[in-house]
């Protein structure tokens, strides 16, 4: 019954590859090997490669060969099928990959039969364009990666050094290689002690895969590593020329590893000045995310070779080039270096400059370090100056909003009230919350909408005025003159008064000046 159902489906669509393969499996399931092979032979005659569905048509050939070889023990029959398909073009494939699979199956058949020379010749003939037929699939065999990979493996295993080199060189000429092929070719030549030819293979590969190709970094890395291993400490001009060529077109994302390798070589076999020049160039060429690390490495190398004072221009360049967060960290390191040199004033100047880039809400480490610095090396005046700078920086960053994660608390969002309380706690100040400010009674007769900063400082202003009056004595003439002063009203207010305001002004005219609340002033 399954065979009958399968026949019905094949009559509906004779180009269904999957159903033909299923039919052969049904015959094999009832030990009808001859019927299975006949079904596959019939499929090759019925299925058109342009209309094939439910699988590639090459699968019919591969299944037929496997059945003849393993089930029917008919190796000659399998070889005859492959010869008819591959050389006589009995079946017209549309895709080159289908025909390449058939050629690869023929080579593997001969390898299983231990016909090494025949397998190698078949692989060479497949990629050499010496296969009969002028179909589109046949013409594309010379550019099939499947067949080239098979040929490279056979040449390295069964062929000679010269035939292997010829195969790789021809593939390079046809530009059908990949970066992995170039690496394999160079490794093969190096293993056979052809060092200069392996470097030439790298050069040809880099000509085919320059930056920004993804394989260029891998080729350059292996090329430089093997060259340095071969000529350890010698051929310095050639090494520098290779590094310069690599870094000229290298993307910023791939450049750090080559800069480090170049600088390490100059430190070991070149000049210190050149090594520091490489580190300097690295600081301006790497991505922004790695610039901070590059500058720190440059500073460490310069301090090691030329002394701590030589790093001062590097610190200044790093502060100018980096983002605020990294620049503030560099300022801390700069100040620490100056403190170690007993240059306390220079260190304090650096800290003052870096304070403008360190928000106290986020960069608490910076302000803690400055606090410890002033405790150890400062006095009361410098400590007050630090607090003044901190308050000015807080005011400058007061309009900057942060996420809770940036402030180190990913669980909750920091509100304006909590932020103000945090800042007040750092300076031991008392700040009224918005709820407390709303509960305070407003002064009658005044217009609402004054600036909060001015309202919060009114009490301080009033106290200062009282102290000044107590310290500065008033002369009798000034007191008398103050008693004769009259309360003046604005002209705009007089125009808006009603007619009976004249009597009110007359009643007020002889009234002496009373003490007025500071808020009126």
């Amino acid at each position: 019954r399954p065979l009958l159902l399968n026949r019905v489906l094949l009559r509906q669509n004779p180009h269904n590859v999957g159903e033909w393969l299923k039919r052969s499996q049904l015959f094999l399931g009832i030990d009808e090997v001859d019927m299975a092979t006949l079904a596959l032979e019939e499929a090759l005659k019925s299925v058109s490669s342009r209309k094939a569905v439910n699988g590639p048509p090459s699968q019919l050939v591969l299944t037929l060969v496997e059945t003849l070889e393993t089930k029917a023990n008919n190796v000659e029959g399998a070889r005859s099928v492959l010869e008819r398909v591959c050389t006589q073009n009995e079946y017209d494939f549309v895709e080159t990959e289908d025909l390449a699979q058939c050629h690869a199956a023929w080579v593997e058949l001969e390898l299983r039969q231990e016909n090494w020379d025949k397998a190698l010749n078949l692989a060479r003939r497949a990629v050499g364009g010496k296969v009969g037929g002028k179909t589109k699939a046949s013409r594309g065999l010379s550019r099939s990666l499947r067949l080239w990979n098979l040929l490279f493996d056979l040449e390295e295993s069964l062929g000679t050094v010269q035939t292997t080199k010829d195969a790789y060189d021809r593939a390079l000429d046809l530009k059908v290689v990949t970066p992995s092929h170039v690496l394999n070719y160079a490794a093969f030549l190096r293993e056979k002690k052809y060092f200069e030819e392996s470097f030439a293979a790298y050069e040809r590969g880099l000509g085919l895969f320059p930056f920004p190709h993804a394989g260029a970094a891998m080729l350059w890395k292996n090329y430089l590593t093997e060259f340095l291993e071969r000529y350890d400490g010698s051929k310095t001009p050639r090494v520098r020329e290779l590094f310069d060529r690599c870094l000229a077109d290298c993307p910023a994302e791939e450049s750090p590893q080559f800069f480090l390798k170049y600088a390490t070589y100059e430190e070991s076999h070149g000049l210190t000045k050149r090594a520091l020049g490489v580190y300097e160039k690295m600081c301006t060429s790497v991505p922004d995310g790695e610039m901070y690390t590059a500058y720190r490495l440059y500073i460490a190398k310069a301090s090691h070779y030329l002394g701590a004072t030589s790093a001062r221009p590097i610190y200044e360049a790093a502060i100018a080039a980096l983002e605020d967060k990294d620049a503030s960290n560099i300022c801390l390191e700069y100040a620490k270096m100056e403190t170690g040199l007993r240059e306390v004033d220079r260190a304090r100047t650096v800290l003052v400059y870096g304070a403008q880039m360190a928000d106290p809400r986020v960069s608490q480490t910076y302000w803690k370090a400055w606090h410890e610095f002033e405790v150890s090396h400062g006095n009361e005046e410098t400590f007050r100056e630090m607090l003044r700078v901190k308050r000015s920086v807080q005011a400058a960053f007061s309009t900057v909003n942060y996420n809770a994660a940036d402030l180190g608390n990913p669980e909750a969002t920091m509100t304006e009230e909590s932020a103000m309380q945090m800042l007040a706690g750092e300076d031991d100040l008392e700040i009224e919350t918005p709820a407390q400010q709303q509960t305070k009674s407003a002064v009658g007769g005044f217009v609402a909408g004054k600036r909060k900063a001015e309202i919060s400082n009114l009490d301080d202003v009033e106290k200062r005025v009282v102290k000044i009056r107590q310290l500065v004595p008033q002369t009798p003439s000034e007191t008398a003159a103050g008693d004769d002063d009259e309360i003046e009203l604005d002209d705009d207010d007089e125009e808006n008064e009603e007619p009976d305001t004249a009597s009110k002004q007359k009643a007020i005219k002889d009234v002496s000046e009373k003490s007025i609340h500071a808020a009126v002033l």
Side-chain angles (χ1 to χ4, degrees):
R1 184 174 179 180
L3 288 172
L4 295 176
L5 291 175
N6 179 261
R7 172 58 65 182
V8 171
L9 293 175
L10 289 176
R11 285 183 178 180
Q12 292 177 355
N13 185 7
H15 306 288
N16 193 330
V17 176
E19 290 299 329
W20 283 109
L21 296 175
K22 183 178 179 181
R23 187 173 184 80
S24 67
Q25 293 298 324
L26 291 175
F27 281 119
L28 291 176
I30 57 177
D31 294 332
E32 293 288 344
V33 179
D34 294 338
M35 295 299 296
T37 55
L38 290 176
L40 292 173
E41 290 281 1
E42 183 182 358
L44 289 176
K45 297 177 182 179
S46 303
V47 176
S48 173
S49 60
R50 292 175 175 80
K51 300 178 181 180
V53 295
N54 199 15
S58 60
Q59 194 63 34
L60 296 173
V61 179
L62 300 179
T63 306
L64 177 57
V65 171
E66 181 182 1
T67 303
L68 290 172
E69 182 184 4
T70 59
K71 303 296 182 181
N73 295 324
N74 187 1
V75 177
E76 290 297 330
R79 186 180 289 115
S80 175
V81 171
L82 290 171
E83 184 176 0
R84 287 189 286 116
V85 173
C86 295
T87 60
Q88 300 177 8
N89 294 326
E90 185 175 299
Y91 189 83
D92 185 16
F93 289 103
V94 175
E95 299 294 335
T96 302
E97 182 62 21
D98 292 334
L99 185 57
Q101 288 183 8
C102 296
H103 279 278
W106 194 359
V107 174
E108 292 170 357
L109 173 65
E110 298 299 340
L111 290 176
R112 287 192 293 271
Q113 301 302 319
E114 298 183 358
N115 296 327
W116 316 120
D117 294 337
K118 186 173 183 180
L120 184 57
N121 290 330
L122 288 174
R124 291 173 180 171
R125 186 178 65 176
V127 300
K130 299 179 181 179
V131 181
K134 297 182 180 180
T135 61
K136 179 181 178 181
S138 300
R139 292 194 300 268
L141 289 177
S142 60
R143 305 188 67 85
S144 173
L145 285 178
R146 179 187 296 272
L147 294 178
W148 279 109
N149 290 331
L150 183 59
L151 177 61
F152 292 151
D153 292 340
L154 293 177
E155 289 288 0
E156 292 182 17
S157 302
L158 305 175
T160 62
V161 175
Q162 187 60 42
T163 57
T164 306
K165 290 167 58 178
D166 292 341
Y168 276 110
D169 290 337
R170 186 164 180 269
L172 288 170
D173 293 336
L174 294 175
K175 299 181 180 180
V176 295
V177 295
T178 62
S180 60
H181 291 152
V182 178
L183 293 176
N184 292 337
Y185 186 22
F188 173 79
L189 293 173
R190 186 177 66 256
E191 182 181 349
K192 301 300 181 181
K193 308 301 181 182
Y194 292 95
F195 296 104
E196 285 298 330
E197 293 190 20
S198 68
F199 300 148
Y202 278 119
E203 292 288 348
R204 295 186 67 180
L206 291 171
L208 294 176
F209 307 102
F211 285 116
H213 192 278
M218 181 173 54
L219 292 177
W220 271 114
K221 183 178 180 180
N222 285 271
Y223 185 14
L224 293 171
T225 300
E226 294 175 7
F227 194 91
L228 294 177
E229 290 178 356
R230 172 62 180 169
Y231 302 107
D232 186 18
S234 60
K235 295 186 180 296
T236 302
R238 186 175 172 186
V239 173
R240 290 171 178 166
E241 187 259 338
L242 288 177
F243 275 112
D244 292 337
R245 282 176 49 202
C246 174
L247 294 172
D249 301 324
C250 182
E253 294 77 13
E254 303 288 346
S255 61
Q257 56 179 334
F258 298 110
F259 275 114
L260 292 176
K261 190 182 292 292
Y262 191 7
T264 303
Y265 176 81
E266 289 290 351
E267 291 181 50
S268 303
H269 307 287
L271 302 175
T272 302
K273 183 178 180 181
R274 282 183 170 271
L276 294 178
V278 173
Y279 284 118
E280 181 179 5
K281 186 177 180 181
M282 179 179 66
C283 293
T284 58
S285 301
V286 297
D288 295 339
E290 301 181 11
M291 192 176 295
Y292 173 64
T293 306
Y295 269 110
R296 292 191 64 191
L297 179 61
Y298 183 23
I299 291 169
K301 294 294 183 179
S303 301
H304 175 71
Y305 290 113
L306 304 179
T309 57
S310 64
R312 285 171 176 167
I314 307 174
Y315 275 115
E316 296 172 1
I319 294 171
L322 295 174
E323 298 293 335
D324 287 353
K325 182 179 179 180
D326 295 334
S328 61
N329 294 333
I330 289 292
C331 288
L332 285 179
E333 297 180 7
Y334 192 6
K336 184 177 180 181
M337 186 269 290
E338 294 291 356
T339 305
L341 298 175
R342 303 299 181 183
E343 295 285 351
V344 178
D345 293 338
R346 293 179 63 92
R348 183 176 291 109
T349 304
V350 172
L351 290 173
V352 172
Y353 182 82
Q356 62 182 328
M357 298 172 285
D359 189 351
R361 291 177 292 175
V362 179
S363 304
Q364 299 181 9
T365 305
Y366 184 91
W367 295 98
K368 182 178 179 181
W370 193 0
H371 182 277
E372 295 175 354
F373 171 81
E374 293 296 347
V375 171
S376 302
H377 306 283
N379 50 39
E380 183 178 357
E381 182 179 355
T382 58
F383 193 85
R384 289 180 179 276
E385 179 67 15
M386 180 201 69
L387 295 179
R388 186 194 65 79
V389 173
K390 186 175 183 180
R391 285 192 295 269
S392 63
V393 173
Q394 286 175 350
F397 283 96
S398 61
T399 59
V400 180
N401 297 323
Y402 297 96
N403 295 328
D406 297 335
L407 294 171
N409 183 16
E411 297 180 357
T413 303
M414 178 169 286
T415 61
E416 180 182 357
E417 179 179 351
S418 59
M420 294 299 292
Q421 291 297 334
M422 184 187 71
L423 296 177
E426 296 177 358
D427 291 341
D428 296 331
L429 299 177
E430 293 183 1
I431 298 179
E432 295 180 352
T433 62
Q436 294 174 348
Q437 294 177 0
Q438 290 178 1
T439 56
K440 290 184 65 176
S441 60
V443 180
F446 292 97
V447 180
K450 296 288 187 179
R451 294 180 59 184
K452 293 182 180 180
E454 296 177 358
I455 294 174
S456 61
N457 294 329
L458 289 179
D459 295 337
D460 296 337
V461 174
E462 185 177 359
K463 292 178 181 180
R464 292 179 183 178
V465 170
V466 173
K467 291 181 180 180
I468 291 173
R469 288 177 178 175
Q470 293 175 356
L471 295 175
V472 180
Q474 295 183 354
T475 60
S477 60
E478 293 177 350
T479 305
D483 292 340
D484 295 336
D485 289 340
E486 298 176 354
I487 298 177
E488 297 181 359
L489 299 177
D490 295 337
D491 295 338
D492 296 338
D493 295 336
E494 292 177 0
E495 292 176 1
N496 296 329
E497 290 288 345
E498 297 180 356
D500 59 344
T501 56
S503 59
K504 294 181 181 180
Q505 292 180 3
K506 185 176 181 180
I508 297 173
K509 187 174 181 71
D510 296 331
V511 178
S512 300
E513 178 183 307
K514 304 297 182 181
S515 59
I516 301 174
H517 197 277
V520 179
L521 300 177

